[in-house]
PDB file of all heavy atoms in Angstrom:
ATOM      1  N   THR A   9      47.005 -29.922  67.523  1.00 40.00           N
ATOM      2  CA  THR A   9      46.292 -31.180  67.237  1.00 40.00           C
ATOM      3  C   THR A   9      45.664 -31.076  65.826  1.00 40.00           C
ATOM      4  O   THR A   9      44.969 -30.123  65.562  1.00 40.00           O
ATOM      5  CB  THR A   9      45.307 -31.548  68.332  1.00 40.00           C
ATOM      6  OG1 THR A   9      45.971 -31.377  69.537  1.00 40.00           O
ATOM      7  CG2 THR A   9      44.809 -32.879  68.074  1.00 40.00           C
ATOM      8  N   LEU A  10      45.841 -32.110  65.015  1.00 40.00           N
ATOM      9  CA  LEU A  10      45.371 -32.125  63.634  1.00 40.00           C
ATOM     10  C   LEU A  10      44.483 -33.370  63.445  1.00 40.00           C
ATOM     11  O   LEU A  10      44.918 -34.467  63.742  1.00 40.00           O
ATOM     12  CB  LEU A  10      46.476 -32.176  62.647  1.00 40.00           C
ATOM     13  CG  LEU A  10      47.635 -31.212  62.821  1.00 40.00           C
ATOM     14  CD1 LEU A  10      48.848 -31.461  62.010  1.00 40.00           C
ATOM     15  CD2 LEU A  10      47.192 -29.863  62.749  1.00 40.00           C
ATOM     16  N   VAL A  11      43.190 -33.181  62.917  1.00 40.00           N
ATOM     17  CA  VAL A  11      42.316 -34.245  62.699  1.00 40.00           C
ATOM     18  C   VAL A  11      41.574 -34.083  61.374  1.00 40.00           C
ATOM     19  O   VAL A  11      41.174 -32.916  61.190  1.00 40.00           O
ATOM     20  CB  VAL A  11      41.452 -34.553  63.895  1.00 40.00           C
ATOM     21  CG1 VAL A  11      40.357 -35.525  63.566  1.00 40.00           C
ATOM     22  CG2 VAL A  11      42.212 -35.160  65.095  1.00 40.00           C
ATOM     23  N   LEU A  12      41.259 -35.085  60.728  1.00 40.00           N
ATOM     24  CA  LEU A  12      40.346 -35.039  59.617  1.00 40.00           C
ATOM     25  C   LEU A  12      39.337 -36.178  59.690  1.00 40.00           C
ATOM     26  O   LEU A  12      39.799 -37.387  59.844  1.00 40.00           O
ATOM     27  CB  LEU A  12      41.096 -35.135  58.291  1.00 40.00           C
ATOM     28  CG  LEU A  12      40.323 -35.242  57.000  1.00 40.00           C
ATOM     29  CD1 LEU A  12      39.324 -34.109  56.837  1.00 40.00           C
ATOM     30  CD2 LEU A  12      41.191 -35.397  55.742  1.00 40.00           C
ATOM     31  N   SER A  13      38.084 -35.904  59.817  1.00 37.00           N
ATOM     32  CA  SER A  13      37.018 -36.937  59.742  1.00 37.00           C
ATOM     33  C   SER A  13      36.813 -37.476  58.342  1.00 37.00           C
ATOM     34  O   SER A  13      36.439 -36.710  57.513  1.00 37.00           O
ATOM     35  CB  SER A  13      35.714 -36.497  60.331  1.00 37.00           C
ATOM     36  OG  SER A  13      34.780 -37.519  60.253  1.00 37.00           O
ATOM     37  N   LEU A  14      37.132 -38.704  58.072  1.00 35.00           N
ATOM     38  CA  LEU A  14      37.122 -39.159  56.725  1.00 35.00           C
ATOM     39  C   LEU A  14      36.025 -40.142  56.417  1.00 35.00           C
ATOM     40  O   LEU A  14      35.674 -40.504  55.270  1.00 35.00           O
ATOM     41  CB  LEU A  14      38.509 -39.967  56.393  1.00 35.00           C
ATOM     42  CG  LEU A  14      39.776 -39.031  56.438  1.00 35.00           C
ATOM     43  CD1 LEU A  14      40.936 -39.881  56.177  1.00 35.00           C
ATOM     44  CD2 LEU A  14      39.702 -37.977  55.366  1.00 35.00           C
ATOM     45  N   LEU A  15      35.484 -40.755  57.417  1.00 36.00           N
ATOM     46  CA  LEU A  15      34.536 -41.815  57.216  1.00 36.00           C
ATOM     47  C   LEU A  15      33.085 -41.294  57.467  1.00 36.00           C
ATOM     48  O   LEU A  15      32.765 -40.409  58.319  1.00 36.00           O
ATOM     49  CB  LEU A  15      34.831 -42.969  58.148  1.00 36.00           C
ATOM     50  CG  LEU A  15      36.243 -43.560  58.078  1.00 36.00           C
ATOM     51  CD1 LEU A  15      36.385 -44.640  59.118  1.00 36.00           C
ATOM     52  CD2 LEU A  15      36.570 -44.029  56.698  1.00 36.00           C
ATOM     53  N   ALA A  16      32.124 -41.966  56.710  1.00 42.00           N
ATOM     54  CA  ALA A  16      30.661 -41.660  57.011  1.00 42.00           C
ATOM     55  C   ALA A  16      30.314 -42.436  58.378  1.00 42.00           C
ATOM     56  O   ALA A  16      30.413 -43.663  58.450  1.00 42.00           O
ATOM     57  CB  ALA A  16      29.861 -42.187  55.897  1.00 42.00           C
ATOM     58  N   LEU A  17      29.964 -41.692  59.354  1.00 46.00           N
ATOM     59  CA  LEU A  17      29.739 -42.242  60.652  1.00 46.00           C
ATOM     60  C   LEU A  17      28.379 -42.600  60.874  1.00 46.00           C
ATOM     61  O   LEU A  17      27.480 -41.684  60.456  1.00 46.00           O
ATOM     62  CB  LEU A  17      30.218 -41.232  61.763  1.00 46.00           C
ATOM     63  CG  LEU A  17      31.680 -40.841  61.690  1.00 46.00           C
ATOM     64  CD1 LEU A  17      31.953 -39.756  62.637  1.00 46.00           C
ATOM     65  CD2 LEU A  17      32.563 -42.034  61.847  1.00 46.00           C
ATOM     66  N   PRO A  18      27.983 -43.691  61.509  1.00 47.00           N
ATOM     67  CA  PRO A  18      26.500 -43.928  61.823  1.00 47.00           C
ATOM     68  C   PRO A  18      26.081 -42.919  62.805  1.00 47.00           C
ATOM     69  O   PRO A  18      26.797 -42.457  63.637  1.00 47.00           O
ATOM     70  CB  PRO A  18      26.615 -45.451  62.367  1.00 47.00           C
ATOM     71  CG  PRO A  18      28.049 -45.545  62.842  1.00 47.00           C
ATOM     72  CD  PRO A  18      28.870 -44.800  61.892  1.00 47.00           C
ATOM     73  N   ALA A  19      24.666 -42.947  62.854  1.00 49.00           N
ATOM     74  CA  ALA A  19      24.143 -41.799  63.740  1.00 49.00           C
ATOM     75  C   ALA A  19      24.458 -42.030  65.133  1.00 49.00           C
ATOM     76  O   ALA A  19      24.634 -41.061  65.938  1.00 49.00           O
ATOM     77  CB  ALA A  19      22.599 -41.798  63.593  1.00 49.00           C
ATOM     78  N   GLY A  20      24.542 -43.253  65.612  1.00 50.00           N
ATOM     79  CA  GLY A  20      24.835 -43.543  67.028  1.00 50.00           C
ATOM     80  C   GLY A  20      26.242 -43.158  67.349  1.00 50.00           C
ATOM     81  O   GLY A  20      26.686 -43.261  68.473  1.00 50.00           O
ATOM     82  N   ALA A  21      27.155 -42.996  66.366  1.00 59.00           N
ATOM     83  CA  ALA A  21      28.638 -42.800  66.587  1.00 59.00           C
ATOM     84  C   ALA A  21      28.926 -41.317  66.748  1.00 59.00           C
ATOM     85  O   ALA A  21      30.171 -41.097  67.001  1.00 59.00           O
ATOM     86  CB  ALA A  21      29.437 -43.492  65.450  1.00 59.00           C
ATOM     87  N   GLN A  22      27.936 -40.420  66.613  1.00 76.00           N
ATOM     88  CA  GLN A  22      28.291 -39.063  66.722  1.00 76.00           C
ATOM     89  C   GLN A  22      27.171 -38.330  67.360  1.00 76.00           C
ATOM     90  O   GLN A  22      26.032 -38.753  67.307  1.00 76.00           O
ATOM     91  CB  GLN A  22      28.533 -38.477  65.312  1.00 76.00           C
ATOM     92  CG  GLN A  22      27.408 -38.624  64.321  1.00 76.00           C
ATOM     93  CD  GLN A  22      27.830 -38.168  63.005  1.00 76.00           C
ATOM     94  OE1 GLN A  22      28.231 -37.056  62.837  1.00 76.00           O
ATOM     95  NE2 GLN A  22      27.528 -38.929  61.959  1.00 76.00           N
TER      96      GLN A  22
END
Side-chain angles (χ1 to χ4, degrees):
T9 307
L10 313 172
V11 166
L12 170 61
S13 178
L14 297 176
L15 305 180
L17 302 175
Q22 56 184 311

